[in-house]
Amino acid sequence: MKRIWPGWILCALTIALLVYMVTVQGAAISASIGGLYLPDAVPLGHGPEAAAALHQAFVSEAAKAQAAGVRSASAAYVAMHAGSDLLFPPMLAASLAFAGFAALNSRRNQAGSPLSARIGLGLVLALAFAYLGCDYVENAVADALFGPPSLSRAFNAQLVPVLRGLTAAKFLTGALALMLIVALWFGRWRAGRKSHGEAV
């Protein structure tokens, strides 16, 4: 376990970045548009009415920001996707993959891993990469819907179901990967207790 400590540091940094994005960046953008939730933070995504209301809130706030000579919430949202939310998806995918590998190698005296555990790890890796793709494409679609260039055009309702599906898929793949990781660690814990009981 001592040799894999960089992986645990990566997990800690990923959690810290998530907290920063939610409590600082996301919260500030949401507050500036009347407290409306950003698409990234809604597990099932925004429906047509909610997305249209969000777009209008960005439009109204952008006009006020331009008059005040400050950066708009829409520009801040795109900047978040180009900054911290550009780093977060690969960091989370790598953290999920590491946690899965660590579960299979958590006991030095473990004589191999059962087939079910290896299959579980393979699913974790597949879900982690699926999450990564969904998050990146979701960010691109969200920028197309709510970025500064879109505020001068009519709301593109055709992109709403695309964004909603990507958001739901992002949360689903991430949640399933976490559930499998918990199952892998639980299996390791049970195997450790069983081997300890047999040794006694």
Side-chain angles (χ1 to χ4, degrees):
M1 293 293 285
K2 291 182 179 180
R3 290 177 295 179
I4 59 175
W5 61 266
W8 295 119
I9 292 179
L10 173 63
C11 293
L13 291 174
T14 302
I15 294 172
L17 181 58
L18 175 62
V19 171
Y20 171 73
M21 289 168 56
V22 172
T23 62
V24 178
Q25 290 184 303
I29 296 171
S30 181
S32 65
I33 53 174
L36 296 178
Y37 289 109
L38 298 176
D40 314 62
V42 181
L44 296 179
H46 282 315
E49 293 183 2
L54 183 62
H55 182 267
Q56 184 56 48
F58 273 121
V59 171
S60 300
E61 192 278 337
K64 297 177 183 177
Q66 184 177 12
V70 297
R71 185 172 69 167
S72 68
S74 176
Y77 187 43
V78 172
M80 183 177 73
H81 286 161
S84 57
D85 207 13
L86 186 66
L87 295 174
F88 179 74
M91 287 177 65
L92 179 57
S95 295
L96 292 171
F98 162 76
F101 276 114
L104 262 65
N105 296 280
S106 59
R107 296 188 63 84
R108 289 180 295 178
N109 296 327
Q110 191 76 22
S113 300
L115 177 60
S116 59
R118 295 197 296 272
I119 292 174
L121 175 60
L123 289 174
V124 168
L125 296 178
L127 288 166
F129 281 109
Y131 159 81
L132 177 63
C134 288
D135 203 344
Y136 272 146
V137 179
E138 178 205 32
N139 289 347
V141 175
D143 289 347
L145 265 175
F146 306 113
S150 72
L151 304 185
S152 59
R153 302 190 298 264
F155 177 62
N156 189 351
Q158 294 181 341
L159 284 179
V160 174
V162 178
L163 179 61
R164 192 174 193 178
L166 288 167
T167 302
K170 176 189 75 173
F171 278 98
L172 179 62
T173 52
L176 288 175
L178 285 173
M179 290 172 61
L180 283 171
I181 289 169
V182 170
L184 288 172
W185 280 99
F186 181 72
R188 274 300 184 223
W189 175 76
R190 289 190 60 185
R193 285 179 58 89
K194 183 178 179 181
S195 62
H196 179 72
E198 290 176 351
V200 173

